[in-house]
């Protein structure tokens, strides 16, 4: 059954093309603000998934946002309301819809500081690679890779001349920089493809021989290092292959 005309029209409005047109209209917005608009609005459109825009759908989305910190809720709600107001003022929507604005609470920042993971001294991992676990730990600390992503690597994807690593996951490719201290330790390795062909259980087992930290904890150290280096939340999400910045919000409060 074909969609009603008004629903087809709204469905056409709520897509990435319309989001980009809206973002381009925000002439005074910084690049980080524009990226925030894009990620927040794309997540909102994905949630609707072609459903009719209504106050009920907005209320459901607001319930989903309640798992986030108040500061994150406030930003996302503000961005979505600005977008909906833009569509209404341009005659694209017959009714003005909006999410309930959540007041920003400074207490959230204080609580976040108490709960925030600590950046550790990981210099012990930057020694000569002598066993599989040493390389696994380095791959996680340097590139934020999950064991499943390490399994998908090929040694030929490490371009030592241009100092980049190509990681292909889910049909998408991301290009990550290879730092000198990693290159010095890893470039002499000759049989890494043998490691990449092993099971995830094998990788976890070998990692335990080298590290007191789990793969998830090492990945969190990668994130904390990048935050300390002032890498933007959007660049970090891109490097990690994340579809949204939700899971990284807590590191940037």
């Amino acid at each position: 059954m074909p969609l009603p005309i008004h629903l087809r029209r709204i469905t056409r409005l709520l897509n990435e093309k319309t989001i980009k047109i809206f973002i381009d209209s925000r002439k005074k917005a910084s690049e980080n603000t524009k990226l925030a608009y894009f990620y927040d609005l794309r997540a909102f459109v994905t949630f609707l998934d072609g459903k009719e825009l209504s106050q009920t759908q907005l209320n459901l989305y607001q319930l989903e946002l309640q798992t986030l910190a108040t500061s994150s809720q406030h930003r996302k709600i503000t961005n979505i309301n600005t977008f909906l107001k833009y569509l209404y003022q341009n005659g694209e929507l017959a009714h003005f819809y909006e999410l309930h604005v959540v007041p920003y609470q400074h207490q959230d920042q204080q609580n976040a500081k108490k709960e925030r993971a600590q950046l550790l001294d990981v210099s012990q991992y930057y020694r000569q690679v002598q066993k599989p676990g040493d390389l696994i730990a380095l791959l996680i600390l340097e590139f934020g890779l999950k064991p499943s992503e390490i399994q998908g690597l090929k040694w030929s994807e490490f371009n030592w001349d241009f100092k980049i690593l190509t990681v292909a996951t889910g049909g998408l490719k991301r290009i990550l920089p290879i730092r000198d201290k990693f290159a010095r330790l890893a470039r002499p390795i000759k049989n890494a493809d043998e490691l990449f062909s092993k099971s995830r259980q094998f990788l976890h087992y070998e990692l335990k021989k080298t590290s007191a930290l789990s793969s998830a904890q090492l990945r969190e150290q990668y994130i904390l290092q990048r935050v300390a280096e002032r890498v933007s939340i959007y660049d970090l999400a891109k490097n990690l292959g994340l579809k949204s910045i939700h899971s990284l919000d807590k590191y940037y409060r």
Side-chain angles (χ1 to χ4, degrees):
M1 174 183 290
L3 290 170
I5 293 175
H6 73 285
L7 181 51
R8 291 205 306 269
R9 186 162 176 266
I10 290 174
T11 301
R12 287 199 303 271
L13 282 172
L14 298 178
N15 55 43
E16 287 194 10
K17 182 178 179 182
T18 306
I19 290 172
K20 289 176 181 177
I21 293 173
F22 161 72
I23 292 173
D24 289 342
S25 73
R26 319 305 291 178
K27 302 297 184 182
K28 295 182 180 180
S30 67
E31 288 304 311
N32 278 347
T33 298
K34 289 180 178 180
L35 282 169
Y37 274 129
F38 179 75
Y39 278 102
D40 292 344
L41 296 177
R42 185 174 65 175
F44 173 59
V45 170
T46 300
F47 171 82
L48 289 176
D49 192 26
K51 299 181 183 71
E52 182 173 4
L53 180 63
S54 66
Q55 194 61 49
T56 298
Q57 289 299 323
L58 290 180
N59 292 342
L60 289 173
Y61 190 64
Q62 187 131 22
L63 285 173
E64 185 173 278
L65 294 180
Q66 287 180 2
T67 59
L68 303 177
T70 303
S71 56
S72 298
Q73 291 184 54
H74 184 272
R75 188 199 73 231
K76 295 175 190 301
I77 289 169
T78 300
N79 288 347
I80 292 168
N81 283 347
T82 303
F83 177 56
L84 294 176
K85 183 177 181 181
Y86 164 84
L87 294 177
Y88 175 71
Q89 290 178 334
N90 282 274
E92 303 290 355
L93 292 178
H95 304 283
F96 176 55
Y97 298 97
E98 65 178 347
L99 292 162
H100 174 67
V101 177
V102 176
Y104 180 82
Q105 297 179 6
H106 180 66
Q107 186 63 36
D108 274 0
Q109 288 185 319
Q110 295 177 341
N111 292 339
K113 288 179 180 178
K114 295 177 184 178
E115 299 170 1
R116 187 175 297 172
Q118 297 297 311
L119 181 61
L120 304 176
D121 178 6
V122 293
S123 58
Q124 61 179 307
Y125 296 99
Y126 289 87
R127 296 169 183 167
Q128 185 178 0
V129 177
Q130 297 180 323
K131 50 187 182 292
D134 297 340
L135 178 57
I136 295 168
L138 278 177
L139 289 169
I140 300 172
L141 283 172
E142 283 294 297
F143 305 106
L145 300 178
K146 299 176 182 178
S148 58
E149 293 173 321
I150 293 175
Q151 279 185 294
L153 291 177
K154 295 179 181 177
W155 199 234
S156 59
E157 292 169 333
F158 290 80
N159 190 316
W160 304 108
D161 294 329
F162 291 96
K163 296 182 179 180
I164 56 172
L165 166 62
T166 302
V167 179
T169 53
L172 298 176
K173 288 186 177 181
R174 40 194 224 270
I175 308 299
L176 305 176
I178 294 177
R179 300 196 296 181
D180 288 341
K181 63 179 182 178
F182 173 81
R184 285 195 298 271
L185 293 169
R187 190 169 185 175
I189 297 172
K190 303 298 182 184
N191 59 342
D193 281 327
E194 182 180 345
L195 172 63
F196 301 151
S197 67
K198 300 295 185 181
S199 67
R200 254 180 283 179
Q201 289 79 3
F202 177 86
L203 298 182
H204 284 295
Y205 178 74
E206 290 298 322
L207 181 61
K208 284 183 179 180
K209 295 180 181 179
T210 292
S211 173
L213 299 178
S214 67
S215 60
Q217 291 170 323
L218 288 171
R219 182 175 160 90
E220 185 168 51
Q221 288 302 309
Y222 164 83
I223 293 171
L224 292 172
Q225 286 179 39
R226 301 296 90 79
V227 172
E229 293 166 4
R230 299 186 181 278
V231 174
S232 78
I233 190 171
Y234 307 101
D235 288 339
L236 183 52
K238 181 180 178 181
N239 288 345
L240 288 167
L242 301 178
K243 293 182 179 179
S244 77
I245 59 174
H246 287 181
S247 62
L248 297 177
D249 277 330
K250 62 182 178 182
Y251 298 106
Y252 284 84
R253 294 180 206 153

